[in-house]
Amino acid sequence: MDLFLFAIGYLGLTAFFIGILLFGESPVFRNTPIASLHWFVTQGIFDGLGWIVAKTCGARGARALDSVYLTCCERPNAALQVAYLAMVLGGYWLYWNNLFSLLPNPWADRDHILLGSASVAVSLGLFVFASASDPGTIRAGDADTLAAWHALYPLDNAIWPEKTCSTCGLCVARHDHHCAWINNCVGAANMRHFLAFLVANLAMCAYGAVLACVILGGEMEARGVWRLNLVNYATGRVVPMWRVPSKMLEWLIVLYPVGVAVGLFMGVATLLVAFFLSYQLYLLAVGRTQYEMFRWRDLHHQMLEEAEQQEEQRIAAEREAATREAEAAGKGGGGKQ
């Protein structure tokens, strides 16, 4: 397979997968393959895994799986915080040994080592700050603050019910969501810290991806790859190697496999963070939180289901009425004969 097309396809599928996760539950995609894919990715796979565990391991295995799910997904835990630190610090170590070690070269100088290290340090600092920040917790005895928030957002048991985070149990002012990456709620008091954390990570990933391309391009320049030609011995045609991206990528993978992998990973990470940051900024622009969007979505689905049920009942009633009229007309015709 053409490696260049494979890389493009990989990035495209990643973007599509992100779109499915973020927007698959939208009412716009109701009863479409997009909604089915979203259900399969977010619920169907796990339901299937649960069924397999229950069949192979019995009730005890199913309970163990439920316990793992509750611990990892429904309770505060540092699993994704550890994963984030492992990815950032491990990625920085790989970058240092496989990309920074190539500097300076014709396209990049050693100043990028300082800039890249600074971007990692800023991201880690904002990660710690966002993780430790108070999201705007409303204490049980703080009646005045609670009354003020209820005045801004009156309870209606639909969009604005009494809200306590289902993961950590805190009552948070303007609760947006519980972010597992920072193991903390995001609310009125720390939204700016969370956005700064996202922006810093987007800048770090985008800078790392672009710099990887620049460093590897400089290595090709230093080795004269840009001036190489490919010869088709069957036709005698001579083509510059840079016009055949798949050959360039093959050359890079052979000589710099880890550098290419790190650059590709950072490109995918850039897409992930960019999608989520864009969604978060969109919510800010329309003045809603993630929690509100989910409540509106659920309410919209409920209204659509009720409308469909009412339509089905109306059609059934019309059919029943038509059947009765036909039976009455039949009996009347038989009496006249």
Side-chain angles (χ1 to χ4, degrees), residues 221-285:
E221 176 70 23
R223 292 171 177 264
V225 177
W226 294 102
R227 297 181 293 276
L228 292 179
N229 293 322
L230 297 176
V231 180
N232 187 328
Y233 290 102
T235 62
R237 185 183 178 188
V238 178
V239 180
M241 188 171 174
W242 60 267
R243 288 190 177 180
V244 187
S246 61
K247 295 299 181 183
M248 302 286 279
L249 186 58
E250 288 176 12
W251 184 87
L252 286 172
I253 290 175
V254 169
L255 290 182
Y256 306 103
V258 178
V260 172
V262 170
L264 189 60
F265 176 81
M266 298 199 75
V268 172
T270 300
L271 288 176
L272 285 167
V273 180
F275 267 100
F276 188 74
L277 178 60
S278 299
Y279 181 61
Q280 202 69 50
L281 292 175
Y282 162 75
L283 292 179
L284 287 175

Side-chain angles (χ1 to χ4, degrees), residues 15-325:
F16 178 73
F17 179 76
I18 297 168
I20 291 292
L21 287 178
L22 291 179
F23 308 113
E25 282 190 306
S26 172
V28 174
F29 300 115
R30 183 179 173 83
N31 298 324
T32 67
I34 298 295
S36 299
L37 282 172
H38 177 88
W39 174 86
F40 177 74
V41 170
T42 59
Q43 184 177 343
I45 294 176
F46 302 101
D47 289 348
L49 178 61
W51 181 85
I52 293 173
V53 170
K55 288 295 183 180
T56 56
C57 303
R60 181 177 298 179
R63 287 194 299 269
L65 183 64
D66 290 340
S67 177
V68 170
Y69 173 80
L70 288 173
T71 301
C72 295
C73 302
E74 301 292 341
R75 298 290 183 270
N77 66 85
L80 285 184
Q81 286 180 298
V82 174
Y84 172 82
L85 290 173
M87 284 190 292
V88 173
L89 296 176
Y92 180 72
W93 181 81
L94 290 173
Y95 213 100
W96 184 278
N97 287 283
N98 295 277
L99 290 169
F100 281 151
S101 61
L102 301 175
L103 297 178
N105 71 20
W107 286 16
D109 55 35
R110 294 184 63 84
D111 291 342
H112 289 287
I113 297 177
L114 179 60
L115 291 174
S117 301
S119 69
V120 172
V122 170
S123 296
L124 289 174
L126 288 172
F127 164 75
V128 173
F129 194 51
S131 298
S133 62
D134 178 17
T137 306
I138 300 176
R139 309 298 175 186
D142 195 354
D144 293 338
T145 302
L146 185 60
W149 280 103
H150 282 176
L152 285 173
Y153 307 103
L155 303 182
D156 58 6
N157 294 321
I159 303 302
W160 299 110
E162 189 71 49
K163 177 57 184 157
T164 300
C165 178
S166 60
T167 301
C168 63
L170 295 177
C171 182
V172 176
R174 195 159 174 75
H175 182 273
D176 189 85
H177 70 288
H178 186 94
C179 178
W181 290 104
I182 61 173
N183 194 25
N184 194 10
C185 281
V186 178
N190 70 343
M191 174 60 76
R192 59 188 182 276
H193 310 321
F194 180 68
L195 289 176
F197 167 67
L198 291 179
V199 170
N201 279 271
L202 177 61
M204 176 184 67
C205 293
Y207 177 72
V210 172
L211 182 59
C213 293
V214 172
I215 292 174
L216 294 175
E219 286 301 300
M220 289 191 291
E221 176 70 23
R223 292 171 177 264
V225 177
W226 294 102
R227 297 181 293 276
L228 292 179
N229 293 322
L230 297 176
V231 180
N232 187 328
Y233 290 102
T235 62
R237 185 183 178 188
V238 178
V239 180
M241 188 171 174
W242 60 267
R243 288 190 177 180
V244 187
S246 61
K247 295 299 181 183
M248 302 286 279
L249 186 58
E250 288 176 12
W251 184 87
L252 286 172
I253 290 175
V254 169
L255 290 182
Y256 306 103
V258 178
V260 172
V262 170
L264 189 60
F265 176 81
M266 298 199 75
V268 172
T270 300
L271 288 176
L272 285 167
V273 180
F275 267 100
F276 188 74
L277 178 60
S278 299
Y279 181 61
Q280 202 69 50
L281 292 175
Y282 162 75
L283 292 179
L284 287 175
V286 299
R288 290 183 183 175
T289 63
Q290 284 194 40
Y291 175 73
E292 291 172 67
M293 292 294 288
F294 292 149
R295 294 295 298 182
W296 276 112
R297 180 205 62 199
D298 295 341
L299 183 60
H300 194 176
H301 286 173
Q302 180 183 344
M303 293 171 66
L304 287 175
E305 290 175 358
E306 291 176 353
E308 289 175 356
Q309 292 174 358
Q310 292 174 0
E311 182 65 16
E312 291 174 357
Q313 292 172 358
R314 183 187 65 80
I315 293 174
E318 289 180 353
R319 288 177 178 174
E320 184 178 355
T323 302
R324 290 177 180 176
E325 289 179 1

